Amino acid sequence: MRAMIVGVHPLAGFDKLLHYRVPENLRASLAIGSLVRVPVLNALRLGLVGEIGAPRDFPLDRLKSVAQVVYPFPALTPDLLELARWMAGYYACGVDSIIETMIPAAVRQGAGLKQDKLLSVARRLTPEEWVALEKRAPQQARLYRLLEQQFRPQHKGLVLARLKQTAAVANALVARGVLREETRRVERIAYVDEHTAGELVAAHPHQLNAEQQVAVDTLATQLGTGKFVVSLLHGITGSGKTEVYLRAINDALKAGGGVVFLVPEVALTPQTVARLRSRLETMVHSVDAAHSAGSGPAGSHLRQSAGGGQGLARHTAGYGGQAGPAGAHRCVVWHSHLSDGERLDGWLALARGEARVVVGARSAIFAPVRNLRLIVVDEEHEPAYKQDETPRYHGRDVAVMRAKLCRAVCVLGSATPSLESFANAEAGKYRLLQLTQRIDARKLPYIDIVDLRIEAAKQRAMPALSGRLVSAMQERLERREQTILFINRRGYSSSMLCKKCGHVEGCAHCSIALTYHRSDETLRCHLCGGQRPAPVRCPKCGAPDIRWRGLGTQRVEEAVHRLLPRARVERMDTDTMAKKNRFREVLSKFRAGHIDVLVGTQMIGKGLDFPNVTLVGLVDADISMHVPDFRANERTFQLLVQVAGRAGRGDRAGLVIVQTFTPQAEAIQFSRHADFAGFAAAELKVRRDFHYPPYRHLIHHLFRGPNPEKLKFFAEQWAKLVEKTLGDRVELRGPSASPIEKIKDEYRWQLWYFTNAVTKVVPELARLRAGFAWADDITQVLDVDPVNLA
């Protein structure tokens, strides 16, 4: 028989395709995209099959053999493998690092399946046998009698614990053929518990308004063509974008397709999953109603697989088998806060075709969804879609490319679209769909601007909460309505200042001030994680005159407790949300009305829908505005509009109070009227004049090392080489020290490239980097289309 040769991408730290023979017993289960174990040097390493075929100019008799096929189905679909190759070229990173990003660690590390042992009666005893068993082995007789009374197999461990028996009792009856023991895989399904029970909203479709109907019809037509299309759904907050998504998902599933639904924050996942599962459960019941009997095997299987059941797990048959009709109605959750078991089982459900809908953060774009027909990117403007470590991909842009490779429909949704997406829509590359009215003709909240310069003069101090905001909170508390306070800075104070000598306590490893955390009396660095006890005297001069400058979530929370002692207050930031499922617990309590005031950072500033919230306070609108970033105005406008959109989503009118020292700023004035068109026109003119994105691509080159002088020298020499080689295709800015010059004991220099031909420039930069004589202690990182300029 002719030898089968495959090219494998080993996950071994080097980016090279190696070829192997395939033993005859493995050929049937191996395909492009299969995860395999192959010998590399003297060890077996994981790898992914990238091609089938012999290498050129290499003797076949010297090839080693594939040792194992890990799963009996491809770990990456063909479109994902092609996407990995595109990402390697566009983002200047290795294919192996992208494959490791695409396949969860639990899958690569071979995490075990959760299994249950079940007991049932295999053979009923005759009266004579029963009498003999009761006399000879009364414990076995008790176990047999209990199982005989059950209609379905019982968990072995639970039964033995109830009877206070050992496994030997059951094993003896199994050996005699009286009992049957079977092992079944238990699938761990994320977000099926009491914390999401309160999130089951919008289960039944409501009546669409005219604009929603146009959007739904347009997307249905696009899905019907089977062609690649990108639509930008620009809808104001509360305009019903989610309902448009759900209708499109319904259409994609009815056509037998798969769906990827991306959200920017883990905090948004529970609400999105609950809505999808509610709607999918409704679809299941409609399918059941179509069956004449209504309770046959198909109907019951659909209900079991909808993912909205009572428990956290369900039994399946293991790796093998094909998806039943319920596959369309399963919703898998995908993000970094899941356990290894939940990630493994979710991945298996998608890879086997048991589920065709996945909801999650940016990494969910790599889920192995079969027959992908629709990708939804909610809040597409969010910087959270950008990965801040290699591979430094942007989830939104990768979603567009994957849709192109699959000939699928990609929907980008936002109340405040990124200027890059909006410019593409204006240029005709994307189809623009607009929702300009809130559902049920609800009004946008009124935005009241508080000038903190005047407020500070009135109170003769720098207040955390203005008198206007405190008064509005008291009114909401009396009316049993809810309030959200937003400040995008955790901790108590942003820095420690000595009033006598002016010393500001900084991080010894990073060039930033330490943040004071009052909850445990520590100073912490939010870059490297270092911390130390907060001093009571100045570390430099010994004076007791220490002042804590700036605001954080802890200080705002303390102010609310002091001013509104009867209010039930909860804080949501990365300090309080470290515990698994804490997001869902707090949001569930807030929805149920057990929290009056929710204080938080960016995780509560977008996408969440709480009808009883009638007041939103933006404690410091200037935090995002005065930073060295050409996107600062855009980020501030988006933040103001998104946070304001959390108010007045029910039947009651909403009020938003914005505290700022610069009330005249364009971003604040445009946001008062939710005037995206006006803001976009003004901001795009500035970008066009200065040739900033979206009119040119931006590439950030970061250099890190322990010696600042050495770092500067190498950065300057590199810049000269690039200028000489690519000067006609790129415009260089720098090199210069980064705004944050040191992080984790490494100094940082940076260089910027502006170009109109990013797909041609990046490979050239990669080629030049490979041939440049870098010092061993210098690390350099290339970031294409960066969103953070620090």
Side-chain angles (χ1 to χ4, degrees), residues 18-44:
L18 302 182
H19 287 81
Y20 295 87
R21 288 176 175 270
V22 181
E24 189 173 343
N25 64 318
L26 298 181
R27 294 180 185 180
S29 57
L30 189 143
I32 291 179
S34 291
L35 193 65
V36 295
R37 295 189 190 280
V38 293
V40 177
L41 297 179
N42 297 320
L44 288 180

PDB file of all heavy atoms in Angstrom, residues 18-44:
ATOM      1  N   LEU A  18       6.861  19.954   9.768  1.00  0.00           N
ATOM      2  CA  LEU A  18       7.624  18.711   9.711  1.00  0.00           C
ATOM      3  C   LEU A  18       6.748  17.601   9.118  1.00  0.00           C
ATOM      4  O   LEU A  18       5.535  17.602   9.320  1.00  0.00           O
ATOM      5  CB  LEU A  18       8.093  18.293  11.113  1.00  0.00           C
ATOM      6  CG  LEU A  18       8.961  19.308  11.873  1.00  0.00           C
ATOM      7  CD1 LEU A  18       9.377  18.725  13.216  1.00  0.00           C
ATOM      8  CD2 LEU A  18      10.173  19.706  11.063  1.00  0.00           C
ATOM      9  N   HIS A  19       7.378  16.662   8.422  1.00  0.00           N
ATOM     10  CA  HIS A  19       6.629  15.603   7.748  1.00  0.00           C
ATOM     11  C   HIS A  19       6.831  14.262   8.439  1.00  0.00           C
ATOM     12  O   HIS A  19       7.919  13.948   8.935  1.00  0.00           O
ATOM     13  CB  HIS A  19       7.044  15.513   6.275  1.00  0.00           C
ATOM     14  CG  HIS A  19       6.524  16.648   5.449  1.00  0.00           C
ATOM     15  ND1 HIS A  19       7.145  17.875   5.423  1.00  0.00           N
ATOM     16  CD2 HIS A  19       5.434  16.754   4.636  1.00  0.00           C
ATOM     17  CE1 HIS A  19       6.478  18.699   4.630  1.00  0.00           C
ATOM     18  NE2 HIS A  19       5.436  18.040   4.146  1.00  0.00           N
ATOM     19  N   TYR A  20       5.759  13.459   8.441  1.00  0.00           N
ATOM     20  CA  TYR A  20       5.755  12.164   9.111  1.00  0.00           C
ATOM     21  C   TYR A  20       4.975  11.145   8.272  1.00  0.00           C
ATOM     22  O   TYR A  20       4.049  11.503   7.528  1.00  0.00           O
ATOM     23  CB  TYR A  20       5.092  12.270  10.498  1.00  0.00           C
ATOM     24  CG  TYR A  20       5.846  13.143  11.472  1.00  0.00           C
ATOM     25  CD1 TYR A  20       5.617  14.524  11.522  1.00  0.00           C
ATOM     26  CD2 TYR A  20       6.779  12.598  12.341  1.00  0.00           C
ATOM     27  CE1 TYR A  20       6.306  15.329  12.411  1.00  0.00           C
ATOM     28  CE2 TYR A  20       7.478  13.403  13.233  1.00  0.00           C
ATOM     29  CZ  TYR A  20       7.246  14.755  13.266  1.00  0.00           C
ATOM     30  OH  TYR A  20       7.934  15.560  14.152  1.00  0.00           O
ATOM     31  N   ARG A  21       5.338   9.882   8.462  1.00  0.00           N
ATOM     32  CA  ARG A  21       4.539   8.787   7.919  1.00  0.00           C
ATOM     33  C   ARG A  21       3.329   8.564   8.829  1.00  0.00           C
ATOM     34  O   ARG A  21       3.382   8.831  10.027  1.00  0.00           O
ATOM     35  CB  ARG A  21       5.357   7.490   7.879  1.00  0.00           C
ATOM     36  CG  ARG A  21       6.450   7.432   6.808  1.00  0.00           C
ATOM     37  CD  ARG A  21       7.231   6.139   6.955  1.00  0.00           C
ATOM     38  NE  ARG A  21       8.206   5.993   5.884  1.00  0.00           N
ATOM     39  CZ  ARG A  21       7.941   5.393   4.719  1.00  0.00           C
ATOM     40  NH1 ARG A  21       6.739   4.888   4.499  1.00  0.00           N
ATOM     41  NH2 ARG A  21       8.877   5.304   3.796  1.00  0.00           N
ATOM     42  N   VAL A  22       2.258   8.027   8.232  1.00  0.00           N
ATOM     43  CA  VAL A  22       1.064   7.694   8.999  1.00  0.00           C
ATOM     44  C   VAL A  22       0.897   6.180   9.001  1.00  0.00           C
ATOM     45  O   VAL A  22       0.720   5.577   7.922  1.00  0.00           O
ATOM     46  CB  VAL A  22      -0.196   8.364   8.416  1.00  0.00           C
ATOM     47  CG1 VAL A  22      -1.422   8.012   9.260  1.00  0.00           C
ATOM     48  CG2 VAL A  22      -0.027   9.881   8.345  1.00  0.00           C
ATOM     49  N   PRO A  23       0.954   5.530  10.173  1.00  0.00           N
ATOM     50  CA  PRO A  23       0.737   4.082  10.224  1.00  0.00           C
ATOM     51  C   PRO A  23      -0.645   3.718   9.685  1.00  0.00           C
ATOM     52  O   PRO A  23      -1.599   4.514   9.774  1.00  0.00           O
ATOM     53  CB  PRO A  23       0.847   3.761  11.714  1.00  0.00           C
ATOM     54  CG  PRO A  23       1.646   4.882  12.292  1.00  0.00           C
ATOM     55  CD  PRO A  23       1.283   6.089  11.480  1.00  0.00           C
ATOM     56  N   GLU A  24      -0.758   2.544   9.150  1.00  0.00           N
ATOM     57  CA  GLU A  24      -2.004   2.129   8.504  1.00  0.00           C
ATOM     58  C   GLU A  24      -3.186   2.163   9.466  1.00  0.00           C
ATOM     59  O   GLU A  24      -4.295   2.531   9.076  1.00  0.00           O
ATOM     60  CB  GLU A  24      -1.833   0.713   7.931  1.00  0.00           C
ATOM     61  CG  GLU A  24      -2.989   0.276   7.051  1.00  0.00           C
ATOM     62  CD  GLU A  24      -2.704  -1.043   6.361  1.00  0.00           C
ATOM     63  OE1 GLU A  24      -1.528  -1.458   6.305  1.00  0.00           O
ATOM     64  OE2 GLU A  24      -3.683  -1.666   5.882  1.00  0.00           O
ATOM     65  N   ASN A  25      -2.967   1.827  10.730  1.00  0.00           N
ATOM     66  CA  ASN A  25      -4.081   1.778  11.688  1.00  0.00           C
ATOM     67  C   ASN A  25      -4.587   3.163  12.098  1.00  0.00           C
ATOM     68  O   ASN A  25      -5.630   3.274  12.730  1.00  0.00           O
ATOM     69  CB  ASN A  25      -3.664   0.996  12.932  1.00  0.00           C
ATOM     70  CG  ASN A  25      -2.533   1.680  13.683  1.00  0.00           C
ATOM     71  OD1 ASN A  25      -1.588   2.187  13.084  1.00  0.00           O
ATOM     72  ND2 ASN A  25      -2.621   1.699  15.002  1.00  0.00           N
ATOM     73  N   LEU A  26      -3.862   4.237  11.731  1.00  0.00           N
ATOM     74  CA  LEU A  26      -4.291   5.595  12.085  1.00  0.00           C
ATOM     75  C   LEU A  26      -4.872   6.363  10.900  1.00  0.00           C
ATOM     76  O   LEU A  26      -5.397   7.459  11.078  1.00  0.00           O
ATOM     77  CB  LEU A  26      -3.111   6.392  12.661  1.00  0.00           C
ATOM     78  CG  LEU A  26      -2.469   5.871  13.942  1.00  0.00           C
ATOM     79  CD1 LEU A  26      -1.341   6.813  14.374  1.00  0.00           C
ATOM     80  CD2 LEU A  26      -3.492   5.751  15.070  1.00  0.00           C
ATOM     81  N   ARG A  27      -4.789   5.808   9.713  1.00  0.00           N
ATOM     82  CA  ARG A  27      -5.154   6.576   8.524  1.00  0.00           C
ATOM     83  C   ARG A  27      -6.632   6.942   8.474  1.00  0.00           C
ATOM     84  O   ARG A  27      -6.998   8.043   8.045  1.00  0.00           O
ATOM     85  CB  ARG A  27      -4.762   5.795   7.266  1.00  0.00           C
ATOM     86  CG  ARG A  27      -3.261   5.626   7.113  1.00  0.00           C
ATOM     87  CD  ARG A  27      -2.891   4.851   5.874  1.00  0.00           C
ATOM     88  NE  ARG A  27      -1.440   4.615   5.830  1.00  0.00           N
ATOM     89  CZ  ARG A  27      -0.821   3.964   4.867  1.00  0.00           C
ATOM     90  NH1 ARG A  27      -1.517   3.471   3.841  1.00  0.00           N
ATOM     91  NH2 ARG A  27       0.484   3.797   4.920  1.00  0.00           N
ATOM     92  N   ALA A  28      -7.489   6.061   8.930  1.00  0.00           N
ATOM     93  CA  ALA A  28      -8.927   6.307   8.817  1.00  0.00           C
ATOM     94  C   ALA A  28      -9.382   7.485   9.678  1.00  0.00           C
ATOM     95  O   ALA A  28     -10.352   8.176   9.341  1.00  0.00           O
ATOM     96  CB  ALA A  28      -9.708   5.045   9.203  1.00  0.00           C
ATOM     97  N   SER A  29      -8.693   7.734  10.793  1.00  0.00           N
ATOM     98  CA  SER A  29      -9.114   8.787  11.720  1.00  0.00           C
ATOM     99  C   SER A  29      -8.330  10.079  11.543  1.00  0.00           C
ATOM    100  O   SER A  29      -8.520  11.024  12.319  1.00  0.00           O
ATOM    101  CB  SER A  29      -8.956   8.299  13.170  1.00  0.00           C
ATOM    102  OG  SER A  29      -7.620   7.913  13.422  1.00  0.00           O
ATOM    103  N   LEU A  30      -7.447  10.151  10.557  1.00  0.00           N
ATOM    104  CA  LEU A  30      -6.594  11.329  10.391  1.00  0.00           C
ATOM    105  C   LEU A  30      -7.029  12.152   9.193  1.00  0.00           C
ATOM    106  O   LEU A  30      -7.346  11.622   8.133  1.00  0.00           O
ATOM    107  CB  LEU A  30      -5.134  10.891  10.242  1.00  0.00           C
ATOM    108  CG  LEU A  30      -4.087  12.009  10.271  1.00  0.00           C
ATOM    109  CD1 LEU A  30      -2.842  11.544  11.006  1.00  0.00           C
ATOM    110  CD2 LEU A  30      -3.718  12.431   8.858  1.00  0.00           C
ATOM    111  N   ALA A  31      -7.055  13.480   9.394  1.00  0.00           N
ATOM    112  CA  ALA A  31      -7.423  14.408   8.317  1.00  0.00           C
ATOM    113  C   ALA A  31      -6.701  15.723   8.559  1.00  0.00           C
ATOM    114  O   ALA A  31      -6.058  15.926   9.598  1.00  0.00           O
ATOM    115  CB  ALA A  31      -8.938  14.618   8.287  1.00  0.00           C
ATOM    116  N   ILE A  32      -6.776  16.604   7.601  1.00  0.00           N
ATOM    117  CA  ILE A  32      -6.213  17.947   7.791  1.00  0.00           C
ATOM    118  C   ILE A  32      -6.926  18.611   8.971  1.00  0.00           C
ATOM    119  O   ILE A  32      -8.151  18.621   9.043  1.00  0.00           O
ATOM    120  CB  ILE A  32      -6.358  18.787   6.511  1.00  0.00           C
ATOM    121  CG1 ILE A  32      -5.435  18.235   5.418  1.00  0.00           C
ATOM    122  CG2 ILE A  32      -6.037  20.245   6.783  1.00  0.00           C
ATOM    123  CD1 ILE A  32      -5.521  18.968   4.108  1.00  0.00           C
ATOM    124  N   GLY A  33      -6.149  19.154   9.897  1.00  0.00           N
ATOM    125  CA  GLY A  33      -6.721  19.752  11.103  1.00  0.00           C
ATOM    126  C   GLY A  33      -6.723  18.825  12.299  1.00  0.00           C
ATOM    127  O   GLY A  33      -7.088  19.244  13.404  1.00  0.00           O
ATOM    128  N   SER A  34      -6.305  17.558  12.125  1.00  0.00           N
ATOM    129  CA  SER A  34      -6.282  16.609  13.237  1.00  0.00           C
ATOM    130  C   SER A  34      -5.173  16.966  14.227  1.00  0.00           C
ATOM    131  O   SER A  34      -4.086  17.392  13.838  1.00  0.00           O
ATOM    132  CB  SER A  34      -6.065  15.188  12.729  1.00  0.00           C
ATOM    133  OG  SER A  34      -7.191  14.715  12.021  1.00  0.00           O
ATOM    134  N   LEU A  35      -5.456  16.763  15.512  1.00  0.00           N
ATOM    135  CA  LEU A  35      -4.465  16.946  16.559  1.00  0.00           C
ATOM    136  C   LEU A  35      -3.757  15.605  16.766  1.00  0.00           C
ATOM    137  O   LEU A  35      -4.408  14.577  16.994  1.00  0.00           O
ATOM    138  CB  LEU A  35      -5.136  17.403  17.858  1.00  0.00           C
ATOM    139  CG  LEU A  35      -4.229  17.935  18.964  1.00  0.00           C
ATOM    140  CD1 LEU A  35      -3.542  19.226  18.525  1.00  0.00           C
ATOM    141  CD2 LEU A  35      -5.029  18.196  20.240  1.00  0.00           C
ATOM    142  N   VAL A  36      -2.435  15.606  16.673  1.00  0.00           N
ATOM    143  CA  VAL A  36      -1.672  14.359  16.728  1.00  0.00           C
ATOM    144  C   VAL A  36      -0.500  14.507  17.691  1.00  0.00           C
ATOM    145  O   VAL A  36      -0.122  15.615  18.078  1.00  0.00           O
ATOM    146  CB  VAL A  36      -1.144  13.962  15.324  1.00  0.00           C
ATOM    147  CG1 VAL A  36      -2.285  13.655  14.382  1.00  0.00           C
ATOM    148  CG2 VAL A  36      -0.251  15.068  14.750  1.00  0.00           C
ATOM    149  N   ARG A  37       0.068  13.354  18.067  1.00  0.00           N
ATOM    150  CA  ARG A  37       1.321  13.334  18.808  1.00  0.00           C
ATOM    151  C   ARG A  37       2.399  12.790  17.880  1.00  0.00           C
ATOM    152  O   ARG A  37       2.219  11.733  17.276  1.00  0.00           O
ATOM    153  CB  ARG A  37       1.212  12.479  20.066  1.00  0.00           C
ATOM    154  CG  ARG A  37       0.250  13.028  21.082  1.00  0.00           C
ATOM    155  CD  ARG A  37       0.316  12.286  22.408  1.00  0.00           C
ATOM    156  NE  ARG A  37      -0.768  12.674  23.274  1.00  0.00           N
ATOM    157  CZ  ARG A  37      -0.811  13.777  24.013  1.00  0.00           C
ATOM    158  NH1 ARG A  37       0.233  14.596  23.998  1.00  0.00           N
ATOM    159  NH2 ARG A  37      -1.853  14.062  24.758  1.00  0.00           N
ATOM    160  N   VAL A  38       3.510  13.525  17.806  1.00  0.00           N
ATOM    161  CA  VAL A  38       4.575  13.142  16.890  1.00  0.00           C
ATOM    162  C   VAL A  38       5.911  13.230  17.614  1.00  0.00           C
ATOM    163  O   VAL A  38       6.082  14.031  18.550  1.00  0.00           O
ATOM    164  CB  VAL A  38       4.600  14.053  15.637  1.00  0.00           C
ATOM    165  CG1 VAL A  38       3.363  13.841  14.785  1.00  0.00           C
ATOM    166  CG2 VAL A  38       4.732  15.518  16.036  1.00  0.00           C
ATOM    167  N   PRO A  39       6.895  12.424  17.192  1.00  0.00           N
ATOM    168  CA  PRO A  39       8.219  12.514  17.808  1.00  0.00           C
ATOM    169  C   PRO A  39       8.981  13.739  17.308  1.00  0.00           C
ATOM    170  O   PRO A  39       9.096  13.969  16.101  1.00  0.00           O
ATOM    171  CB  PRO A  39       8.894  11.211  17.368  1.00  0.00           C
ATOM    172  CG  PRO A  39       8.191  10.822  16.114  1.00  0.00           C
ATOM    173  CD  PRO A  39       6.786  11.306  16.237  1.00  0.00           C
ATOM    174  N   VAL A  40       9.462  14.551  18.258  1.00  0.00           N
ATOM    175  CA  VAL A  40      10.322  15.693  17.952  1.00  0.00           C
ATOM    176  C   VAL A  40      11.560  15.543  18.830  1.00  0.00           C
ATOM    177  O   VAL A  40      11.456  15.557  20.061  1.00  0.00           O
ATOM    178  CB  VAL A  40       9.624  17.035  18.222  1.00  0.00           C
ATOM    179  CG1 VAL A  40      10.575  18.195  17.955  1.00  0.00           C
ATOM    180  CG2 VAL A  40       8.371  17.174  17.379  1.00  0.00           C
ATOM    181  N   LEU A  41      12.705  15.323  18.187  1.00  0.00           N
ATOM    182  CA  LEU A  41      13.927  14.963  18.898  1.00  0.00           C
ATOM    183  C   LEU A  41      13.657  13.683  19.698  1.00  0.00           C
ATOM    184  O   LEU A  41      13.299  12.663  19.134  1.00  0.00           O
ATOM    185  CB  LEU A  41      14.399  16.122  19.772  1.00  0.00           C
ATOM    186  CG  LEU A  41      14.790  17.400  19.003  1.00  0.00           C
ATOM    187  CD1 LEU A  41      15.209  18.503  19.959  1.00  0.00           C
ATOM    188  CD2 LEU A  41      15.894  17.113  18.000  1.00  0.00           C
ATOM    189  N   ASN A  42      13.749  13.737  21.009  1.00  0.00           N
ATOM    190  CA  ASN A  42      13.584  12.515  21.800  1.00  0.00           C
ATOM    191  C   ASN A  42      12.300  12.499  22.615  1.00  0.00           C
ATOM    192  O   ASN A  42      12.187  11.760  23.590  1.00  0.00           O
ATOM    193  CB  ASN A  42      14.787  12.334  22.737  1.00  0.00           C
ATOM    194  CG  ASN A  42      16.087  12.146  21.982  1.00  0.00           C
ATOM    195  OD1 ASN A  42      16.112  11.446  20.965  1.00  0.00           O
ATOM    196  ND2 ASN A  42      17.153  12.765  22.470  1.00  0.00           N
ATOM    197  N   ALA A  43      11.324  13.329  22.230  1.00  0.00           N
ATOM    198  CA  ALA A  43      10.076  13.411  22.993  1.00  0.00           C
ATOM    199  C   ALA A  43       8.890  13.437  22.050  1.00  0.00           C
ATOM    200  O   ALA A  43       9.005  13.824  20.879  1.00  0.00           O
ATOM    201  CB  ALA A  43      10.078  14.660  23.875  1.00  0.00           C
ATOM    202  N   LEU A  44       7.729  13.024  22.561  1.00  0.00           N
ATOM    203  CA  LEU A  44       6.480  13.130  21.808  1.00  0.00           C
ATOM    204  C   LEU A  44       5.876  14.496  22.077  1.00  0.00           C
ATOM    205  O   LEU A  44       5.720  14.907  23.239  1.00  0.00           O
ATOM    206  CB  LEU A  44       5.498  12.030  22.222  1.00  0.00           C
ATOM    207  CG  LEU A  44       5.815  10.606  21.764  1.00  0.00           C
ATOM    208  CD1 LEU A  44       4.750   9.638  22.268  1.00  0.00           C
ATOM    209  CD2 LEU A  44       5.890  10.541  20.238  1.00  0.00           C
TER     210      LEU A  44
END
